[in-house]
């Protein structure tokens, strides 16, 4: 239990440190249209195209960040499992003493 609490605290500390330097998406937002601009079908289609490009860019950024987070999460779990296995090994080796 104590080991899990230490791992949890360490993960929060690492998350807080990472959040301060978290990358921002480099996606170009479309200009916000006004009602007059959107009265033209051509302008509406152009805006929709730009919105879709912006959405695709954001989705790609999110997927990339999720992959990074998943890798970091797995690494943290692997480290905790390694520590727990070693602690168990030590406990078993010293149980009869």
């Amino acid at each position: 239990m104590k080991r899990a609490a230490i791992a949890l605290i360490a993960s929060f500390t690492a998350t807080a440190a990472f959040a301060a330097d978290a990358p921002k998406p480099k996606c170009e937002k479309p200009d916000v249209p006004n009602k007059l601009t959107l009265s033209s079908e051509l302008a509406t289609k152009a805006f929709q195209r730009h919105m879709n490009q912006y959405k695709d860019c954001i989705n790609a950024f999110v997927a990339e960040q999720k992959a990074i987070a998943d890798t970091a999460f797995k690494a943290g779990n692997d480290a905790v499992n390694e520590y727990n296995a070693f602690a168990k090994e030590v406990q078993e080796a010293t149980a009869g003493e």
Side-chain angles (χ1 to χ4, degrees), residues 46-67:
F47 176 72
Q48 288 172 340
R49 186 176 63 254
H50 290 141
M51 277 297 290
N52 287 334
Q53 290 169 343
Y54 180 58
K55 179 183 74 171
D56 291 346
C57 180
I58 292 292
N59 285 338
F61 175 80
V62 169
E64 179 182 306
Q65 295 306 306
K66 184 181 179 317

Side-chain angles (χ1 to χ4, degrees), residues 25-38:
K26 293 179 172 82
C27 302
E28 187 176 332
K29 294 178 188 174
D31 292 330
V32 178
N34 58 38
K35 288 182 182 181
L36 183 61
T37 304
L38 290 180

Side-chain angles (χ1 to χ4, degrees), residues 75-95:
N77 281 340
D78 290 349
V80 169
N81 290 337
E82 179 182 323
Y83 175 84
N84 288 341
F86 180 71
K88 182 178 179 183
E89 182 182 331
V90 169
Q91 186 179 24
E92 289 171 356
T94 58

Side-chain angles (χ1 to χ4, degrees), residues 4-20 73:
I6 291 171
L8 185 61
I9 291 168
S11 72
F12 283 140
T13 303
T15 301
F18 178 74
F73 186 77

